[in-house]
Amino acid sequence: MARKISFKRKKSTKLVRIACRFLRTRLVRRMGRRKVTHQLIADNSTRRVTFRKRKDGLLKKINELTILCGIPACAIIYSEYKDGPEVWPNVSEVRSLLDRLSELPVEKQTKYMMDQKDLMNKMIHDAEKKLEKEKAYTRAMKLGIMASTSDLTTDTDCSEELAKAAEVIDKKLKVIQERIKAVEAGAPIIKRD
C-alpha cells in the first residue's frame, strides 16, 4: 500500500510541475512590453504619467552613471507640469557643472553635441565609408579571382579594376614611404595612439 501512495505522490507532483511550467511560460509571454510608437501621447493624463515614469527612470540612470563611473553629471528638465525647471541632484551642483562647461573653449563644449540632423549626417557618412570599403574589398577579391584563374588575358575589359588596384597600391606605397622618412627622421618605429 505504501508503494501506491508514493506512486500517486510522484504522479501528482509531476502534474504540479507540468502545470507550473505551463503557467510560467504563459506569464513570461504576457510580461513582454508592447511596441511603443514614438509620437506625442494624445491623452493628457497618460502623457503626464508617462512623463513622470520616464523622468524617474532617466534620473535613476544618471544617478547610477555617477556612482558606477565616478563622474559628475546633472540634469535640467523643463516640463508643462511644473512652473520652474527640475534639477538633479541639486541647484548648486548643477551650477558648478555648468560653470565648468562654460570655462571650456567653444570647440570642446560642442565637440560631441549633435542635433538630429548632425546625427543623421554622421550616420550617412559612416555608412558611405563602410560601403566604399566593401566596394574596395570586392574589387580586390574580383581581381584576385581573375588573377588566380588567369582570366586577365581574356577579352574582358578590366582596365577600370586595374586602375583602381593601381590607385590603392600607390596610396599604400605613399604611406609606407612617408613612414620610412618619419622613422629615419627619428620618429618611433611603433606608433602609439
Side-chain angles (χ1 to χ4, degrees):
M1 203 136 199
R3 286 185 180 176
K4 287 184 180 180
I5 293 172
S6 63
F7 178 73
K8 286 181 181 178
R9 283 185 187 161
K10 285 183 181 177
K11 191 174 184 180
S12 65
T13 55
K14 187 176 181 181
L15 287 174
V16 168
R17 267 190 262 127
I18 291 171
C20 287
R21 195 175 308 137
F22 173 76
L23 289 174
R24 224 178 295 130
T25 56
R26 297 283 293 185
L27 289 174
V28 169
R29 285 186 196 141
R30 290 184 184 168
M31 290 178 68
R33 292 187 180 180
R34 62 186 168 94
K35 192 169 186 170
V36 177
T37 56
H38 291 276
Q39 62 186 14
L40 183 66
I41 300 170
D43 183 32
N44 197 24
S45 62
T46 307
R47 189 179 330 129
R48 184 180 301 123
V49 170
T50 302
F51 169 76
R52 184 183 47 80
K53 286 181 179 180
R54 291 198 175 231
K55 180 194 69 161
D56 292 345
L58 178 66
L59 294 180
K60 182 180 176 188
K61 289 287 183 188
I62 294 172
N63 186 34
E64 290 170 358
L65 183 68
T66 59
I67 291 170
L68 295 174
C69 299
I71 59 166
C74 67
I76 303 171
I77 301 173
Y78 284 92
S79 71
E80 60 187 47
Y81 309 114
K82 291 205 175 183
D83 293 334
E86 295 179 59
V87 293
W88 183 90
N90 56 45
V91 176
S92 62
E93 203 164 324
V94 170
R95 278 199 180 122
S96 68
L97 284 173
L98 290 176
D99 289 340
R100 268 183 66 186
L101 178 66
S102 64
E103 290 171 1
L104 291 173
V106 177
E107 299 84 30
K108 285 193 175 185
Q109 286 181 24
T110 59
K111 184 175 182 180
Y112 298 108
M113 291 184 188
M114 287 188 201
D115 58 1
Q116 190 70 25
K117 182 181 176 184
D118 294 336
L119 179 64
M120 292 305 293
N121 286 337
K122 183 182 182 307
M123 290 172 65
I124 289 169
H125 180 70
D126 291 347
E128 286 172 346
K129 281 174 63 176
K130 188 174 180 180
L131 178 65
E132 195 56 44
K133 279 185 179 180
E134 289 296 323
K135 283 181 179 178
Y137 178 76
T138 304
R139 279 193 300 269
M141 292 301 289
K142 282 182 181 178
L143 281 173
I145 290 170
M146 283 195 282
S148 68
T149 59
S150 299
D151 212 8
L152 290 173
T153 58
T154 62
D155 294 336
T156 58
D157 183 27
C158 301
S159 58
E160 185 179 328
E161 284 85 4
L162 291 173
K164 296 265 186 187
E167 185 180 319
V168 169
I169 291 170
D170 287 341
K171 283 181 183 178
K172 293 203 181 257
L173 188 60
K174 190 182 233 182
V175 169
I176 291 170
Q177 289 172 345
E178 288 174 0
R179 187 70 189 130
I180 289 172
K181 286 179 185 176
V183 169
E184 287 175 351
I189 295 175
I190 299 173
K191 281 186 176 179
R192 302 227 187 258
D193 292 332

